[in-house]
Amino acid sequence: MSTVSKVGKITASPAHDVLRAQSHPLDPIFNPKSVALVGASERVGSVGRNVLWNLLSSPFGGTIFPVNQKRSNILGVRTYPSVRELPEVPDLVVITTPAGSVPGVLREAVELGIPGGIVISAGFKETGPEGVALEREIMQIVGGKMRIIGPNCLGVMNPIQGLNATFAATVAKPGNIAFMSQSGALCTAVLDWSLPRECRFQLLHLHRLHAGCKLGRPYQLLRQ
């Protein structure tokens, strides 16, 4: 159905936007075209390696920029020493480096105009007063300038788009169910439960929303 505005302009209902031509403020996180991974690693079992492998092995199709100061390439992919030295500004930056380095990375991301971030790194308010202060600092850095998920999270999985920006050992099968949880442990348990039962997902959002990602916004995204 279309509606006519007060100025006589015909506006199509979002329900009929079958090609999803209308952008959404959370697209850089849930449907990015390019991803920078800060903390990419070749060390087997590390979070940085697991996230990079998941990005590379999923049918994401976008450009992936591993960031590591000490390596020229990781898993055969060219690596960059910092976010500032990337050849283009990515839609999303995923951070797996130690907590103390996160403010600096986010400050660079904000200055470059990167619109979305996922902070997988732990070591924030769950660790005590110092972690609380560190988390408050990153919120001040990104507030009103960048939307992030985290810190201390598993990441985001969008099976419909082929995006797996998590360190989970498995990936959900694409379907129509959207699952959002404040608990990464619960999400991984549901994911493990779903695979042998052929339970399929449109989106898994794993853990905390921050900096402009109020609950209404992801719900609006899912309704699209």
Side-chain angles (χ1 to χ4, degrees):
M1 177 182 294
S2 298
T3 59
V4 180
S5 67
K6 292 181 180 179
V7 294
K9 182 179 178 180
I10 298 177
T11 305
S13 167
H16 293 87
D17 182 22
V18 295
L19 298 180
R20 301 298 187 260
Q22 294 182 348
S23 62
H24 188 280
L26 293 180
D27 278 347
I29 294 176
F30 294 106
N31 188 22
K33 304 304 179 188
S34 54
V35 179
L37 173 60
V38 180
S41 172
E42 255 187 3
R43 183 166 56 86
V44 176
S46 67
V47 173
R49 180 189 172 99
N50 290 345
V51 176
L52 180 59
W53 179 256
N54 285 343
L55 286 168
L56 292 173
S57 58
S58 60
F60 162 52
T63 307
I64 300 167
F65 301 109
V67 176
N68 185 304
Q69 294 180 340
K70 300 179 180 179
R71 302 294 299 267
S72 61
N73 70 83
I74 296 176
L75 300 181
V77 182
R78 179 181 175 182
T79 304
Y80 299 86
S82 71
V83 174
R84 290 186 184 278
E85 298 184 56
L86 297 178
E88 64 181 71
V89 177
D91 291 333
L92 175 66
V93 58
V94 181
I95 304 173
T96 65
T97 53
S101 68
V102 173
V105 175
L106 287 176
R107 194 172 286 109
E108 287 187 1
V110 167
E111 291 173 356
L112 290 171
I114 299 175
I118 300 174
V119 182
I120 291 177
S121 312
F124 292 89
K125 70 179 183 181
E126 74 278 5
T127 64
E130 291 185 4
V132 170
L134 191 58
E135 185 163 333
R136 187 179 298 116
E137 180 183 357
I138 68 172
M139 292 303 103
Q140 291 173 346
I141 292 170
V142 303
K145 304 167 187 173
M146 179 184 186
R147 290 181 169 88
I148 70 168
I149 287 178
N152 188 22
C153 70
L154 192 59
V156 167
M157 195 180 291
N158 186 342
I160 295 294
Q161 301 298 333
L163 175 69
N164 184 5
T166 76
F167 58 92
T170 54
V171 62
K173 297 178 180 179
N176 296 319
I177 300 173
F179 187 83
M180 305 177 71
S181 173
Q182 290 278 0
S183 167
L186 176 60
C187 268
T188 53
V190 169
L191 179 59
D192 292 341
W193 171 89
S194 72
L195 295 174
R197 294 168 176 80
E198 291 293 322
C199 187
R200 296 171 178 266
F201 294 89
Q202 177 187 21
L203 175 72
L204 278 85
H205 160 236
L206 312 176
H207 217 25
R208 288 187 281 170
L209 287 166
H210 268 309
C213 295
K214 296 181 180 179
L215 287 177
R217 289 197 177 275
Y219 290 161
Q220 292 166 12
L221 181 66
L222 300 181
R223 289 175 63 186
Q224 292 182 5

